[in-house]
Amino acid sequence: MKTKNSDNYTKWQKSFERETKIDLNEASSETDEGIKIKPVYTKADIENLSFVDNDSLPGQLPYTRGPKASMYTNRPWTIRQYAGFSTAEESNDFYKKNLKSGQKGLSVAFDLPTHRGYDSDDDLVMGDVGKAGVAIDTVEDMKILFNDIPLDQMSVSMTMNGAVLPVLSSFIVAGEEQNVNKNLLSGTIQNDILKEFMVRNTYIYPPDPSMKIVADIIEFTSKEMPKFNSISISGYHMQEAGADNVLELAYTLADGMEYVRAALSKGLDIDDFAPRLSFFFAIGTDFFMEIAKLRAARTLWYKIMKDFGAKNEKSLILRTHCQTSGVSLTEKDPYNNIIRTSYEALSAILGGTQSLHTNSFDEAIALPTDESARIARNTQLILQNETGVTNTVDPLAGSYFIESLTDELSKKAWEVIEEIESLGGMTKAVKAGVPKLKIEESATKKQAKVDSGSRVVVGVNKFKNPKEPKVDVRVIDNNRVRDDQIKKINDVKASRDQKAVDESLAKLVTAAKEDSNLLARSIDAIKNRATVGEVSKALEQVYGRHFATSLSVSGVYGKHFEGDEDFMNVTKKVNIFEEENGRRPRVLVVKMGQDGHDRGAKIVATSFADMGFDVDMGPLFQSPKDVAKDAIENDVHAIGVSTLAAGHKTLVPELMKSLKEIDPKSKIIVFVGGVIPEQDYNFLYENNISAIFGPGSNIIESAEKVIDLISDKIHEHN
Amino acid sequence: MQLVEKIIKGERAAIAKAITLVESSRENDKNESRKLISELLNKPGKSIRVGFSGPPGVGKSTFIESFGRYLVEKNYKLGILAIDPSSQITGGSILGDKTRMIEISKNPNTFIRSTPSRGSLGGISVGTREASIILDAAGYDFIFIETVGVGQSETMATNLVDIFSLIVGPGSGDELQGIKKGITEYADIFIVNKNDGDLKSEASKTASDYKSAISYYKKSDDTADKEVLLVSAIEQTGMKKVIETIQNIVSQNKKNKNFDERRAKQFTYWIEEEVREIIQFNIQKKIRADGSISQLSQKVMDGKIQMFEAIEAITQNLQNK
């Protein structure tokens, strides 16, 4: 038997090499994770696996094949579309429409000020109100959000991490005032603060008090809200920020371990809370890798929880929500995004997810329209109803390739988990900035692959559409939204019992000082109509607000372009520029407002520096005034504004004004990059913006354009 | 000169443009720069220049943010010159200090300038001294100069600042042995940061290590005593002591003339350096002018003449001119 196999293999190898004219040893490709993918896999590849057990069945340990025995054959995954539109009223309409057309759960997106614990009337958040999600200032907004949606029947998922106390409190009070007791509320709160320090930056307090809040919520919900998932441990945002699948998988599970320890430190029994821990992964375009990732995640979590001493079967099982990758969507040739999302959705299903969000094709540029949201939802309905994927549990099990890939991914992730554990766990690792830097390095590598063309993105760096289609996107008038919210805040403040508010906020501060459970105290304050901002600020008195220090990678981008003609061309221009001007072109790269997605800004900074620019990095959450001061003091030639949360229409004109206020003769040019719908281009150009770089822009081309614009500006004045 | 007036009025854009000028590598900018600095030297301000150095990771920028916040709350005007390393390979740089100086960078009483080191003078960039003169004329009370690494302690202490302080982290006492001589000689203040949380006892131990190390240092004159201070940048503790120590050292050194002597010495160094640079530039121009140097070196390569003969021929030629 064995001889026959190896004879067959030798024969195959010969044929392969004859057909391809490539030596088999050199025919493997390498993934972002550094995993070698061979042209063919055989039985030999699934012998002696480290983590995967070839004989296990669905619903059996180590749960590689799925958390349940029957999986989708009994009930398909939950279609759970994430959405939030500026105001509670609009979002409520949208939810009700979706529920009518077949959606089973709700998922709420909040706007950035809410995430960061600011009320809509705060000066700091001028440009951010109602952008990228719904603004919630008081429990009254939350009540409108769920108007006519019975909270004892609807499972609600909330993406909230920073301002988790006031927002979860508002949800609980909104339920109460619908006559629904909190023990009947079902759903999930993201409550995953560790990844915020790595990638998304919508934290409020420093890591240690933030971890205390997480533990308080786990404690409270495990006692009072048995149907509610206290945390959704998320790798999604890591992949969005450029992490490869090993980093996403390992850091997410390492986060999970840290939350388990935090809850244990409260004296809870592991089996009292572990069944309510849920996970959230991104599903990108690497089809088989994503399937393997979900299978590996369950396998590793089983091992981790067993080591923690969990006994209840439900504690051992990783349940997850998935979302198709937002970063894989392109602005160019946007209908391709429907196809990308479909394949990603199929990956998630073959990997065995419990619920799924499919992105709308226009999400690379704006919040979805009704039409694009319908297509996104239908992607899942077609999978469930037309393709037959629900008829067999874990249909790829036993595939030499899938099983071997699952095992290899598990091994690599386990190494990374051990590395984090050796640093003393994720809170310490996050404080040292290690994971953030690793993710940024991975992101820079990925960008370099696309820019150098070694990774094909259809419609972007190859097979470009000569006639770009025009897409209508949703437009938000955030000044109107802000005015409405301010009015609502004022109404609530005018009619509430101020003494009761002050007292309950004082009690919250005391609780923070005494280290007792904060969620209970926060519910009281919200019930008395304290605002989200007031609750957050009360705790800020005790904990302070966290400001991240920022490290940067260097050399990673440039390494991919050794000898590349376009790259050399830019570095040559930079050198000539230096000779002519006595210094290098100097660019300040900034984020403004409450948008913490800094992947784009970091990649631009490190790649421009690799091309020889001097790059100033501004801190996160700057106001336009701060940016102008910074730019002028450092006498930069240009400011690059990275914007992903639609605040540009307010913040960019504000920046131009501030520059002129400090220096009426300022020659600093401003360019904008990120998520900007095409209909805003004219508005920005009218505000004297020199260039706009949308998603998928080639960085080398962008750098060349920037240096040309700077040179033109200098010559124009000479 | 209009620029001078604007600087003295404290106009932000003018100060920034002036610093660009003094940092410029362009030849005609250098002459402009010398003229500007000469005029500004006639209108000196009252700044105290404090240098901060220390190994990576000890929280230099975080300390400056914390200490700076303390100072601006007391209404002092604060200028900060932060020097970041440039990449050896690309020549470019990422200037990220301001991401750690969030609060003070917003304050109207601060001026914060990052400068790429461009690989010169062991981390002190071209123009740092001139930039500090600009900020002095513009009326800043304190000028902080921050550099990476301890390698440039000597340059910084002897060439640039009135007070030089070294920021170190808890547990750095062990490294002390290796660098003892340099630091005991040049640093006026040792700041042990991260005196907070779990690191507190380690920080105190490190402070005593430094105290015993400086006790070996024999003072040759009546300069102020060196001090070791414990601070926590993140908890903003120990800041009052830092400013008091700086002020004490300054007043003591002013009383016994050490302050002025140090500045006078720095001035001498500076003029020497400038003269050397000009002479070097002129000589280089002359040597390269007639192309004989490349002919001579070719002859050396071909084995037609010895190297010393080539050198002699060139120097002879220069002297004759």
Side-chain angles (χ1 to χ4, degrees):
Chain A
M1 192 68 191
K2 201 166 187 196
T3 352
K4 194 185 162 216
N5 265 349
S6 64
D7 284 352
N8 279 348
Y9 189 83
T10 318
K11 221 166 122 190
W12 170 82
Q13 181 171 353
K14 273 192 188 143
S15 311
F16 176 89
E17 291 177 343
R18 194 179 55 241
E19 287 167 20
T20 60
K21 300 184 179 63
I22 295 172
D23 189 286
L24 181 59
N25 292 322
E26 270 144 43
S28 294
S29 54
E30 199 183 275
T31 69
D32 289 338
E33 294 75 18
I35 293 174
K36 256 186 162 179
I37 302 291
K38 299 190 289 182
V40 83
Y41 285 75
T42 66
K43 204 171 179 181
D45 291 300
I46 59 164
E47 283 158 8
N48 305 318
L49 297 180
S50 309
F51 288 88
V52 172
D53 173 1
N54 288 324
D55 295 326
S56 96
L57 284 162
Q60 292 179 5
L61 55 90
Y63 306 102
T64 314
R65 300 197 57 186
K68 288 205 160 155
S70 58
M71 291 296 285
Y72 312 139
T73 62
N74 179 38
R75 205 178 65 184
W77 67 91
T78 306
I79 301 175
R80 191 192 296 279
Q81 299 295 88
Y82 171 68
F85 293 108
S86 308
T87 63
E89 289 84 353
E90 281 172 79
S91 304
N92 178 260
D93 276 352
F94 185 81
Y95 296 153
K96 284 193 284 199
K97 247 187 271 172
N98 288 354
L99 294 172
K100 256 187 227 154
S101 39
Q103 190 171 316
K104 288 285 186 291
L106 283 186
S107 178
V108 185
F110 296 96
D111 74 347
L112 290 163
T114 308
H115 275 290
R116 299 261 300 146
Y118 294 112
D119 286 337
S120 301
D121 60 357
D122 200 308
D123 282 345
L124 284 171
V125 300
M126 209 170 51
D128 298 305
V129 177
K131 291 289 170 83
V134 58
I136 298 290
D137 293 312
T138 68
V139 67
E140 296 301 336
D141 294 328
M142 198 63 108
K143 284 171 76 178
I144 297 167
L145 191 66
F146 296 115
N147 191 20
D148 293 331
I149 299 174
L151 289 174
D152 50 348
Q153 290 161 42
M154 184 55 56
S155 132
V156 176
S157 160
M158 284 177 285
T159 299
M160 178 48 65
N161 305 279
V164 63
L165 286 169
V167 168
L168 182 55
S169 301
S170 301
F171 176 66
I172 292 169
V173 175
E176 242 168 55
E177 297 185 7
Q178 261 192 19
N179 286 320
V180 175
N181 188 289
K182 55 184 174 293
N183 62 17
L184 293 175
L185 295 172
S186 70
T188 308
I189 185 121
Q190 196 163 73
N191 193 25
D192 172 8
I193 203 69
L194 286 168
K195 62 103 176 40
E196 298 295 332
F197 294 109
M198 282 180 229
V199 289
R200 202 156 149 271
N201 298 310
T202 43
Y203 42 71
I204 303 176
Y205 314 111
D208 289 319
S210 295
M211 283 300 286
K212 177 215 159 20
I213 292 170
V214 171
D216 278 3
I217 286 169
I218 297 177
E219 183 187 32
F220 186 93
T221 51
S222 77
K223 289 175 186 157
E224 313 263 347
M225 300 166 74
K227 295 170 75 183
F228 200 77
N229 296 321
S230 51
I231 192 165
S232 166
I233 307 157
S234 307
Y236 183 81
H237 316 85
M238 300 178 199
Q239 186 178 119
E240 285 293 279
D244 62 46
N245 282 293
V246 166
L247 293 179
E248 181 193 357
L249 179 56
Y251 289 163
T252 308
L253 298 181
D255 284 352
M257 293 165 79
E258 196 74 343
Y259 294 130
V260 168
R261 278 190 287 257
L264 290 175
S265 76
K266 291 248 140 190
L268 298 175
D269 184 275
I270 190 157
D271 287 324
D272 284 344
F273 66 86
R276 304 304 327 173
L277 302 176
S278 66
F279 286 80
F280 174 27
F281 289 103
I283 302 295
T285 48
D286 193 347
F287 189 77
F288 293 109
M289 189 67 80
E290 296 293 355
I291 298 169
K293 181 174 72 191
L294 296 185
R295 302 176 90 248
R298 287 189 294 267
T299 314
L300 293 174
W301 189 244
Y302 162 74
K303 177 179 162 54
I304 288 166
M305 292 308 283
K306 226 182 73 191
D307 290 349
F308 269 117
K311 292 185 186 66
N312 182 346
E313 193 189 23
K314 285 189 175 155
S315 306
L316 301 167
I317 297 176
L318 175 142
R319 293 165 304 123
T320 189
H321 171 68
C322 286
Q323 180 171 341
T324 57
S325 158
V327 78
S328 73
L329 304 181
T330 61
E331 182 198 25
K332 295 258 152 63
D333 218 358
Y335 294 118
N336 288 343
N337 294 332
I338 300 173
I339 304 158
R340 288 190 183 99
T341 300
S342 304
Y343 288 126
E344 290 167 354
L346 181 57
S347 262
I349 299 320
L350 294 173
T353 190
Q354 278 58 66
S355 59
L356 180 64
H357 167 107
T358 31
N359 286 325
S360 301
F361 71 89
D362 49 1
E363 277 180 66
I365 21 185
L367 286 172
T369 60
D370 287 354
E371 193 53 29
S372 68
R374 202 179 73 102
I375 296 173
R377 193 174 46 248
N378 285 349
T379 308
Q380 295 195 50
L381 289 171
I382 290 169
L383 274 171
Q384 287 188 350
N385 294 290
E386 298 184 16
T387 63
V389 289
T390 58
N391 297 338
T392 306
V393 182
D394 191 25
L396 295 183
S399 145
Y400 303 137
F401 176 43
I402 283 290
E403 297 295 5
S404 145
L405 192 59
T406 304
D407 199 63
E408 186 134 2
L409 200 55
S410 303
K411 273 194 284 193
K412 284 209 168 245
W414 193 252
E415 280 169 27
V416 177
I417 290 172
E418 286 186 322
E419 193 182 297
I420 296 296
E421 289 297 292
S422 73
L423 292 171
M426 196 49 110
T427 311
K428 290 214 169 98
V430 152
K431 281 198 221 162
V434 176
K436 188 173 174 61
L437 208 58
K438 284 262 165 77
I439 291 172
E440 279 165 17
E441 191 181 331
S442 166
T444 310
K445 268 189 215 161
K446 285 189 185 181
Q447 179 73 41
K449 284 182 189 171
V450 174
D451 287 351
S452 65
S454 72
R455 166 159 311 155
V456 173
V457 181
V458 173
V460 174
N461 62 3
K462 216 172 173 182
F463 314 114
K464 291 181 195 175
N465 189 344
K467 253 182 81 184
E468 277 290 332
K470 277 249 179 292
V471 177
D472 287 330
V473 302
R474 186 180 288 264
V475 182
I476 292 160
D477 178 354
N478 76 315
N479 287 328
R480 177 185 63 79
V481 177
R482 186 163 182 259
D483 292 344
D484 287 355
Q485 285 303 119
I486 292 175
K487 194 177 162 299
K488 285 198 277 182
I489 294 174
N490 291 339
D491 288 350
V492 169
K493 283 187 179 170
S495 62
R496 68 184 183 182
D497 175 354
Q498 188 60 40
K499 198 165 151 256
V501 173
D502 294 344
E503 277 170 14
S504 52
L505 287 173
K507 277 187 190 156
L508 178 66
V509 170
T510 312
K513 285 181 182 153
E514 288 171 354
D515 219 18
S516 57
N517 196 299
L518 297 173
L519 182 55
R521 296 280 76 82
S522 152
I523 292 172
D524 291 341
I526 292 289
K527 209 181 291 178
N528 287 326
R529 271 42 187 179
T531 66
V532 168
E534 286 167 338
V535 169
S536 300
K537 286 223 165 85
L539 292 172
E540 204 180 316
Q541 291 169 26
V542 184
Y543 297 140
R545 202 170 252 275
H546 179 67
F547 292 104
T549 58
S550 173
L551 305 163
S552 309
V553 294
S554 87
V556 175
Y557 187 85
K559 219 169 63 191
H560 282 263
F561 293 93
E562 275 164 16
D564 180 278
E565 208 175 302
D566 296 335
F567 186 84
M568 300 291 282
N569 183 30
V570 178
T571 54
K572 212 165 77 192
K573 276 195 177 180
V574 170
N575 289 334
I576 294 170
F577 184 97
E578 188 186 17
E579 265 169 47
E580 281 176 4
N581 296 284
R583 60 171 176 154
R584 291 174 173 269
R586 186 161 179 175
V587 178
L588 170 66
V589 178
V590 294
K591 303 274 319 171
M592 291 190 288
Q594 296 306 309
D595 167 22
H597 296 89
D598 58 352
R599 181 194 68 98
K602 287 293 189 66
I603 290 181
V604 168
T606 178
S607 49
F608 272 50
D610 280 359
M611 284 179 260
F613 284 68
D614 285 329
V615 183
D616 291 73
M617 282 293 287
L620 285 172
F621 315 123
Q622 275 187 303
S623 74
K625 233 172 90 187
D626 304 338
V627 172
K629 178 175 184 273
D630 195 351
I632 285 177
E633 286 177 359
N634 287 287
D635 196 19
V636 299
H637 296 108
I639 302 173
V641 179
S642 161
T643 167
L644 283 104
H648 53 270
K649 278 183 86 172
T650 320
L651 297 168
V652 170
E654 210 44 47
L655 170 64
M656 305 310 280
K657 210 177 86 193
S658 299
L659 282 171
K660 292 284 171 201
E661 268 167 22
I662 306 180
D663 181 13
K665 287 191 220 146
S666 170
K667 294 169 198 166
I668 296 171
I669 64 164
V670 178
F671 60 95
V672 185
V675 178
I676 302 134
E678 216 178 309
Q679 54 262 56
D680 291 353
Y681 280 27
N682 264 340
F683 171 84
L684 291 173
Y685 287 133
E686 279 162 18
N687 277 278
N688 293 318
I689 297 308
S690 303
I692 300 166
F693 303 106
S697 295
N698 181 303
I699 293 192
I700 297 175
E701 288 166 16
S702 312
E704 184 169 8
K705 180 148 188 202
V706 168
I707 196 169
D708 288 346
L709 285 167
I710 293 173
S711 301
D712 289 351
K713 191 81 181 179
I714 290 172
H715 292 135
E716 170 192 317
H717 282 270
N718 282 351
Chain B
M1 192 187 217
Q2 214 189 355
L3 187 57
V4 173
E5 283 156 33
K6 284 181 176 173
I7 291 169
I8 288 165
K9 268 202 272 171
E11 278 183 30
R12 221 171 276 282
I15 299 169
K17 291 241 149 47
I19 296 179
T20 303
L21 176 71
V22 299
E23 286 174 355
S24 174
S25 57
R26 204 158 48 174
E27 210 41 50
N28 34 351
D29 286 345
K30 286 194 172 153
N31 289 328
E32 288 286 305
S33 159
R34 283 182 189 120
K35 276 185 218 153
L36 171 70
I37 293 302
S38 309
E39 287 199 48
L40 290 177
L41 281 170
N42 292 331
K43 292 160 181 148
K46 51 187 182 337
S47 332
I48 303 297
R49 300 163 307 159
V50 189
F52 293 96
S53 192
V58 299
K60 283 185 295 294
S61 309
T62 318
F63 169 78
I64 289 176
E65 158 85 359
S66 191
F67 185 43
R69 240 166 53 212
Y70 181 85
L71 292 180
V72 290
E73 272 163 27
K74 305 247 170 310
N75 280 323
Y76 287 113
K77 285 183 79 185
L78 179 59
I80 296 172
L81 301 169
I83 298 150
D84 274 327
S86 297
S87 160
Q88 299 286 343
I89 303 160
T90 66
S93 62
I94 293 186
L95 307 154
D97 296 289
K98 282 160 306 226
T99 61
R100 289 176 287 273
M101 299 184 191
I102 296 162
E103 283 303 314
I104 51 166
S105 68
K106 293 177 191 169
N107 194 295
N109 280 331
T110 64
F111 187 103
I112 306 177
R113 175 78 167 221
S114 297
T115 298
S117 66
R118 288 196 263 172
S120 66
L121 277 173
I124 308 294
S125 81
V126 177
T128 307
R129 182 168 27 210
E130 290 84 347
S132 72
I133 284 161
I134 295 167
L135 289 174
D136 177 51
Y140 286 85
D141 299 303
F142 290 96
I143 299 163
F144 289 176
I145 300 174
E146 182 204 352
T147 62
V148 182
V150 288
Q152 41 297 353
S153 307
E154 184 182 345
T155 325
M156 172 112 115
T158 52
N159 289 10
L160 275 176
V161 297
D162 303 315
I163 290 189
F164 176 60
S165 49
L166 188 74
I167 305 178
V168 295
S172 62
D174 299 340
E175 302 150 30
L176 197 57
Q177 298 306 322
I179 47 172
K180 197 188 290 174
K181 191 177 174 295
I183 52 168
T184 46
E185 217 164 314
Y186 299 114
D188 301 294
I189 307 175
F190 299 86
I191 296 169
V192 182
N193 189 18
K194 302 190 184 173
N195 181 33
D196 43 52
D198 301 343
L199 295 170
K200 249 186 172 157
S201 62
E202 187 71 42
S204 315
K205 193 186 159 291
T206 307
S208 11
D209 288 350
Y210 276 92
K211 272 181 194 151
S212 77
I214 56 171
S215 67
Y216 294 115
Y217 176 75
K218 296 219 168 40
K219 274 204 303 175
S220 54
D221 48 32
D222 51 356
T223 46
D225 285 334
K226 293 175 187 295
E227 296 277 355
V228 179
L229 304 174
L230 274 164
V231 303
S232 163
I234 54 167
E235 290 175 359
Q236 216 192 19
T237 55
M239 301 302 157
K240 187 157 177 259
K241 188 84 188 139
V242 179
I243 186 63
E244 281 171 4
T245 307
I246 290 174
Q247 281 164 339
N248 279 342
I249 294 180
V250 168
S251 69
Q252 207 178 323
N253 283 348
K254 274 192 175 161
K255 219 176 343 176
N256 57 31
K257 301 274 187 280
N258 276 315
F259 188 86
D260 291 336
E261 271 172 30
R262 189 165 174 172
R263 283 200 170 180
K265 251 188 221 163
Q266 290 175 350
F267 214 66
T268 316
Y269 279 134
W270 184 13
I271 291 177
E272 261 178 30
E273 220 172 80
E274 291 282 312
V275 170
R276 198 181 310 130
E277 197 186 312
I278 292 168
I279 291 177
Q280 208 171 347
F281 179 78
N282 287 339
I283 290 180
Q284 212 152 34
K285 221 160 65 178
K286 275 188 202 161
I287 293 175
R288 288 179 183 167
D290 63 357
S292 63
I293 185 162
S294 47
Q295 290 165 15
L296 285 166
S297 50
Q298 190 56 49
K299 280 185 185 164
V300 177
M301 293 280 285
D302 298 343
K304 287 180 183 151
I305 56 169
Q306 302 256 4
M307 188 168 121
F308 80 91
E309 292 173 299
I311 295 170
E312 210 154 85
I314 293 165
T315 39
Q316 205 66 51
N317 196 9
L318 275 176
Q319 276 164 13
N320 292 342
K321 271 186 183 167

